[in-house]
Amino acid sequence: MGPFQTVPSRLISQLYCGLKSPAAKGTKICLTMARPSSNMANFREVFAKAKHIVVISGAGISAESGLPTFRGAGGYWRKWKAQDLATPQAFAYNPSRVWEFYHYRREMMQRVEPNPGHLAIAECEARLHKQGRRVMVITQNIDELHRKAGTKNILEIHGSIFKTRCTSCGVVAENHKSPICPALSGKGAPDPETQDATIPVEKLPRCEEAACGGLLRPHVVWFGENLDPSILEEVDRELALCDLCLVVGTSSVVYPAAMFAPQVSARGVPVAEFNMEITPATNTFRFHFQGPCGKILPEALAPHETETVS
């Protein structure tokens, strides 16, 4: 695969969630550019002209609200990494442990609030909508903080922790109960010395559909699972239409999302990365702004002097 080639859009729906590129070993799904610019004034000029903006967000923006990313040093729950628990195999082997992990995360996510980065994106979307311009958020996050901030146009490619799916009948339902079931009350402590609760499977969250009662699982995409083809078709459409792409708080290592922005950049569309550190994709983008999203995004997405409400 040459440096200017991208994965054909028709293949995206066949991709699964993982930490490595689905491309053949030794290939790259990006193009090489000169060192990206950090000139905010130049970015603002591009922003002012954009009619269809796509924002790709990852765990970094939620980390600024106090949520752990489970990446890098200290990225453990008890003695396990997220990728040890967020798999169909882990759930089949020990559903009690996996539900403890997700109960801990649900409780944390219910307590935190959107930060200025989330709010800046939501305000920008609402403001530009009045001007006949579009903002679409494509998020890898399962915490619903973008929704909580007021974002309307959003594709949650990895699902939501506040939805469940029945392993028997397949029904998907919203669920914001705290705790999600009585047996999980007070459970899920992340400390390494904490022992598993070993909750009997019949006491774990169960389907409330008539005559079902099947075991529920979080309606999220686990490592090794296929992403929803219908959502990825929408993603593909948005990426094809956008004339500006923002990459916000993502490490660009989880696929297939790590391919989205390089695909856009490969066809000459400006991409701006906002992150605490450089990533494997940084040098494929036109702009890179290093620092907290909550500090930089409000400035980047503020009303431009040329804006007029239509």
Side-chain angles (χ1 to χ4, degrees):
M1 181 176 289
F4 289 90
Q5 290 180 278
T6 57
V7 171
S9 59
R10 66 181 181 275
L11 297 182
I12 283 187
S13 64
Q14 301 173 26
L15 299 177
Y16 59 88
C17 181
L19 290 173
K20 295 181 179 180
S21 166
K25 185 177 180 181
T27 64
K28 294 183 179 180
I29 310 176
C30 62
L31 69 166
T32 302
M33 295 177 64
R35 185 178 180 86
S37 168
S38 295
N39 187 307
M40 182 60 76
N42 288 351
F43 167 77
R44 296 275 294 156
E45 290 299 316
V46 174
F47 167 72
K49 298 173 183 177
K51 302 296 184 183
H52 193 124
I53 301 170
V54 165
V55 180
I56 301 170
S57 74
I61 190 170
S62 295
E64 294 179 33
S65 288
L67 295 178
T69 63
F70 296 102
R71 293 268 193 278
Y76 286 80
W77 177 82
R78 296 181 186 168
K79 61 182 179 180
W80 294 281
K81 295 180 180 179
Q83 54 263 42
D84 296 329
L85 298 168
T87 70
Q89 294 79 14
F91 189 70
Y93 177 72
N94 195 328
S96 173
R97 179 186 296 156
V98 172
W99 261 120
E100 275 201 87
F101 173 59
Y102 279 96
H103 169 67
Y104 164 71
R105 298 182 71 187
R106 281 169 59 96
E107 296 298 300
M108 285 193 67
M109 291 174 184
Q110 296 221 33
R111 290 194 297 267
V112 302
E113 296 295 329
N115 63 61
H118 293 106
L119 297 173
I121 293 169
E123 190 280 329
C124 178
E125 178 200 53
R127 187 181 80 246
L128 297 194
H129 175 72
K130 297 176 182 178
Q131 302 171 27
R133 301 161 69 191
R134 179 173 174 82
V135 175
M136 169 61 76
V137 174
I138 299 171
T139 188
Q140 302 169 75
N141 300 334
I142 61 173
D143 50 44
E144 294 192 358
L145 285 177
H146 283 295
R147 293 188 184 278
K148 205 171 182 179
T151 294
K152 305 299 183 187
N153 298 329
I154 183 166
L155 295 171
E156 295 165 320
I157 64 170
H158 291 163
S160 167
I161 201 168
F162 297 111
K163 291 180 181 178
T164 58
R165 183 165 79 247
C166 180
T167 59
S168 294
C169 71
V171 165
V172 174
E174 288 192 17
N175 189 312
H176 288 82
K177 292 179 182 177
S178 175
I180 190 171
C181 70
L184 282 166
S185 180
K187 303 297 191 293
D191 312 286
E193 63 273 12
T194 303
Q195 298 297 310
D196 284 356
T198 317
I199 299 168
V201 68
E202 64 270 13
K203 300 287 187 181
L204 293 173
R206 312 298 297 194
C207 182
E208 296 180 1
E209 290 293 304
C212 184
L215 177 65
L216 296 179
R217 57 161 283 178
H219 185 54
V220 298
V221 179
W222 282 331
F223 289 103
E225 290 188 322
N226 293 322
L227 277 70
D228 186 331
S230 64
I231 291 178
L232 285 174
E233 285 178 6
E234 292 187 64
V235 168
D236 198 37
R237 283 195 294 271
E238 293 293 332
L239 296 179
L241 292 170
C242 77
D243 55 4
L244 175 63
C245 178
L246 312 185
V247 183
V248 176
T250 176
S251 58
S252 295
V253 297
V254 177
Y255 286 81
M259 296 191 303
F260 294 164
Q263 274 194 303
V264 172
S265 185
R267 62 182 179 87
V269 173
V271 177
E273 183 179 54
F274 299 81
N275 205 31
M276 289 295 292
E277 56 193 12
I278 62 172
T279 73
T282 297
N283 286 333
T284 73
F285 302 145
R286 188 174 302 184
F287 298 98
H288 173 78
F289 298 98
Q290 193 159 339
C293 297
K295 180 178 179 181
I296 303 175
L297 283 177
E299 176 187 1
L301 303 181
H304 191 268
E305 59 184 13
T306 61
E307 285 187 27
T308 56
V309 177
S310 58

